[in-house]
């Protein structure tokens, strides 16, 4: 590590990355390589002698980038977005430059304290209740992903019950969510030792726009209690992965409260929109929740990874996740004067991730961030209008945020046919390399998902995408 | 995200970071701020309007850097190192620039395939047995930290047993390790629902240099079996956190094999040294293990985080950690043609971390990396010599790698006095801001740890550090 060598080489890398962004539309957005392509292009073992940066960058250009699916391309409409931005990128650089490991306060007080402050800032932008902020018994913490967020709160909730009822109650613990909940919950249950059959995913359908019905939840809870089971955790979702369904938090929260159930709200994608007053009502009722999560790395211009989790009772996390080995003891921690984030998460080590979120908030400011969200939602509205105007298609669920769920109608009204048709259309569209969409299944129907949210996407990309879909639809009809 | 704006601002950030490295010795290596210092310096909420990068960088300089503990300082000797390097930094930049989320092969084939290739490269440098490489049933994967590595293999091992014996066997499962094992194991047990009393940390002492005794392990296993318990997991460590003790892998592996126990080897710190033929014998016996872990982000010039985990049976991981929601289904995954790393780890999303490890291996090459390791070990030897030559001190355990465990001898042979004396010495030394050391306790004795491994550390820093220790010792003696 030599400062001047770093300066020289990092300037070269900056230009390489800036050039990548300039040319990003020249790549097929979904990589078109075949499995195993890279092994044929790279040697079998590491070199004995150093190679030049130019050699490596040539390989990145010729061998790596063709195998990249370009999440930053303006033609990326799959899954949910993963935003990169100038501010987020600068924050990543600075964090990698300082390269400290902030497990305890003492190992870099600024890392812990900036994280507390910045999550308070973001919590205020989201109008989270006061008791999620670090000034009380709660607080925010940056996790890597929503999967880790739900795992740590699940474990905290589990242990809270087990401390009361004894370890052997584990097999009776029941978790609830809608069947639209992200698979991260199921994975958290697997890791945390919850019986798979006790992870109850309650059925949703179009009558609630795929949101969880409070009545169904109430009934499930009382049925389970009468069977001697122990309901302990509900994961509500605002902005489900399939269709951005928003569970009714307030009604759900009343049920969890009266049953002593930990209520976690996963707003990984849609949370970002809630900085706009007109979308904030979707998380009304969050005051009833015990924990709330949104991914700043999805739709909030903060480079991956940065998943913001707030809890009302930080001690619940700490009681489950703390360890206190001698080699980490220090005056500040022993005096209980400080937060040691190692006890709020699975890993010990942690990066200085608050820097990038801080930079995003400061370099853009709230008003620009609101414009950014609204612009994407308007683009999604525009796409929705295009779909609605073409009688071959239907919009399947009401668009709430920036995702449009739609499908090609089967000409003969056969659902089986409709499913294979939409499957084939998706395949054809993604094979062009011009745009990248993904899919889901709702009530047995294969649905195409058009998620607007890449920072470079403009209206012309949305209309061009629609043209690709129309062209491929026509080609498909001709080939039938 | 505008390419030219990124270029302009990122060049500024490069210079900021290069200047930071140039001036890094001017900061107190251990931050000297008081708890809560930062909240007094920053506003209560995020700005409505954007601020300039210069404003933010001024704040980084004036408000953040004083609160940083400078892990990259050449005067950093605490815990274990966390290496930053030009290559590692460039890899982080590129990964943040591409900013893709590689959960499935399809979401960036290059990310999955480069990771498989680079972990095969590193596995070969470490002379890991063939069945840890991706060409067979095993393979490598980059986890965030050793904590996540041990958790995923613990869960895989747990579920392998529970699939055979039924879920209710959970409460009988027993984990073994020495009492020197990293606290990450205890945390993994907590998360994975292993009864705390069934996480058995077997006593070590100076008679084995704090390595786990195979006889003790054998006895513990047979005792537990006779009590109806089910031994299922051993965590062996090569290079413990307190004193770099190396458990005898071959002897331990024979015991685990004959008892059907999953054998995990944690070489988070010392694994890096095993690329040198003269240190490779410390992991002899790894062929008996089921999984092996080393942190490239510790002592291998790869910026945090990058923890390399290899397993012999990747299906064990996949069976425990896979989910297959509709919205992630795709042709390549369904055809089983590819690796989807989401099923080898806790989170769904993942960064393109193999880039930085690839760059480290290519831009430095094996021979330079070996020199790098040997240089640090020589510096530690030099420090050990200095301690040994001063009759006020003793070297407490044999130095194996780049960590020296030592202490100030109590003048009156009173151990209590010795402990408070060394505690005070550590406090005094760290309060100077000139160097940063940490401590441990071995057999009741408070020990100072001097871990060489920061990339910028040279012999002059080691001798200067010794001078600080001597000076503070003299000052302490005078004040008694």
């Amino acid at each position: 590590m030599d400062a001047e060598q770093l300066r020289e080489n990092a300037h070269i890398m900056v230009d390489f990355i800036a050039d990548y962004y300039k040319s990003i539309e020249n790549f097929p957005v979904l990589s078109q390589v075949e499995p195993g392509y890279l092994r044929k292009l790279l040697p079998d073992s590491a070199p004995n002698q150093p190679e030049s940066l130019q050699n490596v960058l040539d390989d990145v250009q010729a061998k790596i980038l063709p195998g990249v699916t370009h999440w930053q391309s303006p033609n990326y409409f799959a899954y949910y977005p993963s935003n990169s931005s100038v501010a987020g990128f600068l924050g990543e650089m600075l964090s990698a430059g300082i390269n400290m490991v902030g497990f305890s306060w003492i190992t870099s007080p600024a890392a812990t304290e900036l994280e507390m402050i910045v999550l308070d800032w973001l919590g205020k932008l989201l109008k989270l209740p006061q008791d999620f902020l670090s000034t009380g018994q709660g607080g925010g913490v940056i996790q890597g992903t929503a999967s880790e967020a739900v795992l740590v709160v699940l474990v905290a909730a589990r242990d809270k019950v087990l401390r009361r009822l004894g370890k052997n109650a584990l097999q009776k613990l029941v978790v609830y969510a809608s069947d639209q909940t992200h698979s991260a919950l199921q994975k958290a249950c697997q890791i945390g030792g919850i019986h798979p059959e006790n992870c109850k995913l309650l059925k949703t359908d179009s009558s609630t726009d795929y949101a969880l019905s409070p009545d169904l939840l109430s009934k499930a809870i009382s049925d389970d209690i009468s069977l001697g089971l122990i309901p302990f955790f509900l994961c509500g979702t605002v902005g489900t992965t399939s269709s951005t369904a928003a569970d009714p938090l307030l009604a759900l929260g009343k049920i969890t409260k009266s049953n002593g159930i930990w209520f976690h709200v996963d707003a990984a994608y849609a949370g970002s929109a809630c900085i706009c007053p007109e979308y904030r009502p979707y998380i009304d009722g969050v005051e009833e929740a015990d924990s709330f999560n949104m991914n700043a790395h999805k739709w909030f211009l903060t480079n991956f990874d940065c998943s913001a989790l707030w809890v009302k009772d930080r001690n619940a996390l700490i009681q489950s996740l703390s360890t206190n080995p001698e080699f980490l003891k220090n005056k500040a921690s022993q005096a209980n004067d400080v937060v040691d984030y190692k006890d709020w998460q699975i890993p010990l080590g942690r990066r200085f991730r608050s820097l990038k979120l801080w930079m995003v908030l400061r370099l853009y400011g709230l008003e620009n961030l609101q414009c950014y969200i609204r612009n994407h939602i308007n683009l999604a509205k525009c796409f929705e209008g295009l779909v609605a105007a073409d009688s071959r298609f239907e919009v399947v669920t009401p668009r709430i945020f920036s995702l449009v769920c739609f499908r090609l109608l089967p000409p003969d009204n056969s659902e089986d046919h409709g499913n294979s048709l939409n499957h084939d259309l998706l395949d054809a569209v993604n094979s062009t390399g011009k745009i990248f969409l993904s899919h889901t299944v709702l009530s047995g129907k294969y649905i195409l998902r058009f998620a607007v949210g890449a920072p470079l996407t403009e209206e012309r990309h949305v209309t061009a995408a629609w043209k690709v879909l129309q062209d491929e639809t026509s080609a498909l009809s001709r080939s039938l």
Side-chain angles (χ1 to χ4, degrees), chain A:
Chain A
M1 167 55 77
D2 171 83
E4 293 312 319
Q5 202 190 342
L6 178 128
R7 193 189 309 270
E8 185 190 331
N9 288 292
H11 280 309
I12 294 171
M13 185 60 91
V14 167
D15 286 325
F16 185 89
I17 294 170
D19 291 344
Y20 166 65
Y21 278 95
K22 277 188 92 157
S23 64
I24 198 165
E25 292 193 56
N26 302 341
F27 295 97
V29 50
L30 173 66
S31 172
Q32 304 288 318
V33 300
E34 294 294 319
Y37 89 102
L38 191 57
R39 202 173 284 269
K40 295 173 196 150
L41 302 176
L42 294 182
D44 274 346
S45 54
N48 282 317
Q49 300 297 331
E51 298 181 58
S52 73
L53 177 59
Q54 198 49 56
N55 269 357
V56 174
L57 290 180
D58 288 346
D59 274 359
V60 172
Q61 195 70 43
K63 300 170 184 171
I64 301 297
L65 289 183
V68 167
T69 291
H70 301 276
W71 288 63
Q72 302 315 314
S73 164
N75 302 311
Y76 180 96
F77 303 102
Y79 310 113
Y80 279 131
S82 171
N83 285 182
S84 179
S85 69
V86 175
F89 180 73
L90 296 177
E92 277 287 356
M93 279 179 73
L94 185 56
S95 162
I98 294 175
N99 201 49
M100 62 87 234
V101 187
F103 45 81
S104 303
W105 179 86
I106 188 80
T107 67
S108 265
T112 297
E113 297 197 11
L114 187 64
E115 187 160 330
M116 295 168 71
I117 292 167
V118 168
L119 288 194
D120 281 353
W121 285 12
L122 184 54
K124 287 177 193 170
L125 297 187
L126 294 167
K127 304 207 185 317
L128 294 186
Q130 192 72 29
D131 39 8
F132 280 120
L133 304 186
S134 70
T135 35
Q137 301 303 306
V141 57
I142 298 177
Q143 304 280 333
T145 61
S147 306
E148 289 150 270
V150 72
L151 174 57
V152 297
V153 294
L154 182 89
V155 167
R158 179 197 70 183
D159 292 353
K160 216 168 159 175
V161 177
L162 297 184
R163 275 192 297 275
R164 194 161 42 87
L165 301 181
K167 291 273 168 190
N168 295 336
L170 179 63
Q171 60 204 32
K172 294 184 185 165
L173 296 185
V174 188
V175 170
Y176 303 91
S178 89
D179 58 2
Q180 299 299 308
T181 298
H182 196 278
S183 53
L185 177 69
Q186 183 205 327
K187 190 156 175 171
C189 288
Q190 285 167 208
I191 294 168
I194 306 299
H195 278 211
E197 61 271 28
N198 287 353
C199 178
K200 308 214 170 174
L201 303 182
L202 305 173
K203 211 171 145 24
T204 60
D205 58 33
S206 58
S207 71
T208 60
D209 292 333
Y210 299 96
L212 178 56
S213 143
D215 291 345
L216 264 189
L217 176 67
S218 283
K219 186 171 178 325
I221 290 174
S222 38
D223 287 356
D224 287 335
I225 290 173
S226 69
L227 288 169
L229 296 172
I230 306 162
F232 87 107
F233 192 84
L234 169 68
C235 178
T237 307
V238 175
T240 58
T241 308
S242 281
S243 66
T244 71
D247 291 342
L249 302 189
L250 195 58
L252 297 175
K254 288 195 193 308
I255 300 169
T256 55
K257 196 169 246 176
S258 65
N259 287 279
I261 291 175
W262 185 295
F263 184 20
H264 175 65
V265 175
D266 171 358
Y269 155 73
S272 299
C274 300
I275 61 164
C276 302
E278 66 273 31
Y279 294 103
R280 176 58 177 79
Y282 285 102
I283 57 167
D284 279 358
V286 65
E287 58 277 10
E288 304 294 332
D290 298 283
S291 47
F292 177 81
N293 173 232
M294 68 81 86
N295 285 349
H297 61 237
K298 277 198 165 63
W299 192 21
F300 206 69
L301 292 168
T302 310
N303 290 44
F304 189 85
D305 49 355
C306 184
S307 180
L309 170 70
W310 290 267
V311 294
K312 272 187 187 162
D313 173 16
R314 60 179 175 240
N315 277 325
L317 280 185
I318 294 167
Q319 284 187 277
S320 280
L321 298 170
S322 73
T323 54
N324 191 21
E326 183 63 41
F327 52 81
L328 298 183
K329 286 182 182 163
N330 64 83
K331 222 192 297 179
S333 299
Q334 301 302 103
N336 247 327
D337 277 348
V338 292
V339 162
D340 287 332
Y341 272 131
K342 71 181 176 63
D343 300 334
W344 299 46
Q345 62 171 20
I346 298 157
L348 174 60
R350 56 202 325 272
R351 293 153 63 230
F352 201 160
R353 286 182 293 213
S354 55
L355 280 174
K356 57 186 170 184
L357 184 53
W358 185 54
M359 291 208 174
V360 164
L361 292 169
R362 290 189 64 179
L363 294 179
Y364 301 133
L366 173 61
E367 290 180 20
N368 277 329
L369 289 165
Q370 289 172 330
C371 287
Y372 176 76
I373 295 287
R374 287 172 182 140
N375 177 49
H376 282 149
I377 294 177
N378 282 334
L379 293 180
K381 271 185 199 159
C382 156
F383 184 83
E384 185 187 24
L386 295 169
V387 174
D390 186 328
S391 63
R392 294 174 298 176
F393 289 87
E394 70 168 348
V395 174
V396 178
T397 54
R399 183 207 47 72
I400 308 180
F401 304 104
S402 69
L403 171 72
V404 181
C405 291
F406 69 108
R407 65 171 191 150
L408 189 53
L409 289 164
D412 51 5
N413 268 327
S414 140
E415 281 309 335
D416 281 356
H417 186 192
N419 286 353
S420 66
L421 198 64
N422 280 283
H423 178 278
D424 293 349
L425 175 59
L426 182 70
D427 203 30
V429 161
N430 286 341
S431 297
T432 65
K434 292 177 189 166
I435 56 175
F436 180 29
L437 268 65
S438 59
H439 81 283
T440 191
V441 169
L442 290 172
S443 301
K445 289 181 195 169
Y446 193 97
I447 311 285
L448 305 186
R449 293 172 74 266
F450 189 85
V452 180
L456 292 169
T457 302
E458 300 170 19
E459 189 169 341
R460 63 189 171 95
H461 299 106
V462 170
T463 49
W466 176 238
K467 177 85 171 44
V468 174
L469 275 155
Q470 286 188 310
D471 289 350
E472 294 301 323
T473 299
S474 302
L476 209 57
S477 312
R478 279 195 303 274
S479 73
L480 289 179

